[in-house]
Each structure stands twice: as C-alpha cells, then as structure tokens.
Amino acid sequence: MKATRSAPRERERSRTTSGSDQVHSWILVPSQVLHAVWRIARASVMTALSLLSATLSYFRSLYLYLGHQLKWWIGYLQRKFKRNLSVEAEVDLLSYCAREWKGETPRARLMRKAYEELFWRYHVKCVRPVKRDNYDALRSVLFQIFSQGLSFPSWMKEKDIVKLPEKLLFSQGCNWIQQYSFGPEKYTGSNVFGKLRKCVELLKLQVTEVYEQMKTNKIVPSLFRLLFSRESSPDPLSFMMNHLNSIGDTCGLDQIDMFILGYSLQVKIKVFRLFKFNSRDFAVYYPEEPLREWPEISLLTENDHQYHIPVF
C-alpha cells in the first residue's frame, strides 16, 4: 500500500521537477541570447567609439598641422611683403619709439625725449617707416611729393628733357657724362644716355649751369660755392665721380646733397634730426632760404643716414 501511495507522489514530483526545468530552460535561453547580443553590441559600440576617437584625433592633428603651416606661411608672406615695401603704413609715433628705443642707455633716453618733443611740440602723431637703404632720403621726398599732389618743377616738364644727356655732352662739352655709373648695371659710351635720361634731371639748371656762372663770377646761392669748395668736388666731374655715383650704391644723400635735392625739386625739406635734440640743429631746412615760396615737406632722421616720414 505504501508503494502504491508513493508512486503518485513520485510522479507528481517528477512532473513538478520537469516543469521547473522547462521554465528554467525558457528563461535561460533568452538570457543567454540577450547576453550574447549585448556582448556583440558592446563590442561594436567600443569599436565604433575607438574608430571615432581615432578619426577625431587624426583630424585634430591635421587641423593643428594645417594651422601651423598656415600661420608660418602668413608670417613668411608678411615678412616678405614688408621687406618689399618702400614706404610702410602709418605707425603711432610713441608706440614706434617705445618699440625701437628700449632700455636706459643715454642714446635711448635721448631718442625717447626727441620723439616726445615731436609729439607734444610739433604735433607729429604717426610715422611712416621707409625702407632702409641708400635711397631712403630720395624715396621719402618723392613719396610726399606724389602723395600730396605737389607739382614738379617746370624744367622737368619740358619736351626736350629726354635730350638732356646729349645736350650736356655736345652743346656744353660735358664729356664726363659718359663716365656715369649705375651700380651693378653696366652701361658704357652712348648706352649711358638712355639711362641718364631718367637720372640726371637733378643736374639741369643746377650744378652744371651754376658752375658755369661761378666761373664768370656771377652771384650764385652760397650752397653751390660750398659744394665746389670741397676737395672731393671742385668741379662737376669730381662731384659726379666722388659723390653722385656712390649715391644708392654705397651711401645715401649727404646734407649738401639734400640742399641740391630741395633746389632741384623746388621744395623746402624740413628735417627733424632727433640725435640733435635740445640744440638749434634739431629742426633744419634744405635749402635754408628757398628762392621763392616752395611747398614744405618733412622728414625725420635719427642719424642723418636713415630717413622716415612724420605724419601730422
């Protein structure tokens, strides 16, 4: 009887256990599937994130590289174009002074005081730096003549001005004209004339003719007597060979050449000589006494060799 009663219970237990196993199996399989799917999805997401991070890192590196290259090229082009500028843009006068004359040396202190004098007494607000070479004085003067719309002297407008070299040679016997040089450019004999047509305008009605007047004891401006009193230029030939020829090649304009420039272009050139601060030679004129009411232009120099343009 006991065996008979226990048999149903065993069967019932067996069915219960079998049902539990089936339920567990149904729960376990989806769980394993979900786990597998999650692992695959997580691996895919991590792979995508790694790829995205690598891509972003690459583009960041590329951006920094291109930015560096662009910055270098911009700086290079700015330096290159700045070097090629004959006359630079306006710069605040006192800022320019502070940039150029730092420190507490006697010369630096003198220059700062001179620039302050220009600013407060002469009302110079800005400066236009001029390319530093042996033509800067001439370049500074011509720039202002053109920028201010000043007219050139009448003698420069004559129709036969292009024939001046030949006239000097054949009409006035100035055979020294053929010895004029042009730095690294090579010209000889009659080939000189073509180049001279653009260069010797400064001699017409000035050096050559005044020299002829001096020989006949005519009254001429004291400048020219001073010009031909130098041992290095007692006549037009030596003046050309020892002074004019070297301008632009090895030197700029001397003070006496500034006088000639003023006379030739018929302008009164006012020069602020900053190294002469607190002296009567701080502001000088070339020429000192113009022949008539000529327009005035201004330059500034720190050493009588390099010139810049003051802006009022």
Side-chain angles (χ1 to χ4, degrees), residues 68-287:
H68 176 75
Q69 291 295 313
L70 181 61
K71 184 177 180 180
W72 186 89
W73 277 104
I74 290 175
Y76 170 77
L77 292 175
Q78 286 179 338
R79 292 191 299 271
K80 184 177 180 62
F81 287 130
K82 185 175 181 179
R83 285 197 300 267
N84 290 334
L85 287 177
S86 295
V87 179
E88 298 180 22
E90 296 179 7
V91 181
D92 177 76
L93 183 76
L94 297 182
S95 298
Y96 176 83
C97 171
R99 183 185 72 193
E100 296 292 322
W101 294 101
K102 302 175 182 178
E104 295 301 325
T105 64
R107 184 168 180 81
R109 289 196 295 267
L110 176 70
M111 286 299 157
R112 288 198 293 268
K113 291 180 180 178
Y115 275 103
E116 290 173 0
E117 180 81 355
L118 286 182
F119 183 83
W120 294 110
R121 180 179 176 183
Y122 294 93
H123 310 293
V124 178
K125 303 303 180 184
C126 299
V127 59
R128 297 191 72 127
V130 178
K131 184 178 180 180
R132 299 194 175 193
D133 57 21
N134 293 323
Y135 293 101
D136 57 352
L138 181 60
R139 184 181 292 113
S140 301
V141 171
L142 292 178
F143 177 85
Q144 293 185 79
I145 289 176
F146 285 119
S147 63
Q148 296 179 27
L150 304 180
S151 61
F152 281 100
S154 58
W155 63 263
M156 295 185 68
K157 302 175 184 178
E158 295 180 8
K159 295 181 179 180
D160 64 345
I161 187 66
V162 295
K163 300 178 180 178
L164 175 60
E166 289 87 344
K167 290 176 64 176
L168 288 173
L169 174 62
F170 299 112
S171 299
Q172 302 187 28
C174 301
N175 56 357
W176 46 265
I177 281 291
Q178 297 183 78
Q179 300 182 45
Y180 204 90
S181 67
F182 304 92
E185 302 179 42
K186 304 300 182 183
Y187 296 88
T188 58
S190 60
N191 293 329
V192 172
F193 295 143
K195 190 70 173 180
L196 280 172
R197 291 188 182 105
K198 301 177 182 179
C199 300
V200 301
E201 290 92 341
L202 298 182
L203 295 175
K204 182 176 173 58
L205 301 173
Q206 302 296 322
V207 176
T208 302
E209 295 190 4
V210 169
Y211 180 71
E212 295 298 322
Q213 294 173 9
M214 286 176 57
K215 291 195 299 186
T216 59
N217 294 321
K218 291 184 178 180
I219 298 176
V220 298
S222 59
L223 156 70
F224 295 100
R225 295 196 179 277
L226 178 63
L227 171 65
F228 293 114
S229 67
R230 295 184 296 183
E231 293 183 358
S232 56
S233 59
D235 51 56
L237 172 59
S238 58
F239 171 68
M240 184 199 70
M241 297 299 295
N242 298 330
H243 295 278
L244 284 184
N245 260 354
S246 58
I247 293 175
D249 298 335
T250 58
C251 69
L253 297 180
D254 292 331
Q255 279 188 279
I256 198 165
D257 302 321
M258 294 290 288
F259 280 105
I260 296 174
L261 183 62
Y263 271 114
S264 300
L265 298 178
Q266 296 182 5
V267 293
K268 184 165 59 174
I269 305 171
K270 184 177 184 178
V271 179
F272 295 102
R273 305 168 74 203
L274 304 189
F275 68 103
K276 294 291 186 179
F277 175 67
N278 263 348
S279 75
R280 58 182 298 178
D281 294 325
F282 179 71
V284 297
Y285 287 94
Y286 305 103

Side-chain angles (χ1 to χ4, degrees), residues 17-43:
T17 302
S18 176
S20 298
D21 291 341
Q22 290 177 356
V23 171
H24 180 71
S25 175
W26 280 103
I27 294 174
L28 180 61
V29 170
S31 177
Q32 290 176 339
V33 171
L34 288 175
H35 182 69
V37 170
W38 167 246
R39 284 191 303 172
I40 294 172
R42 186 175 64 178

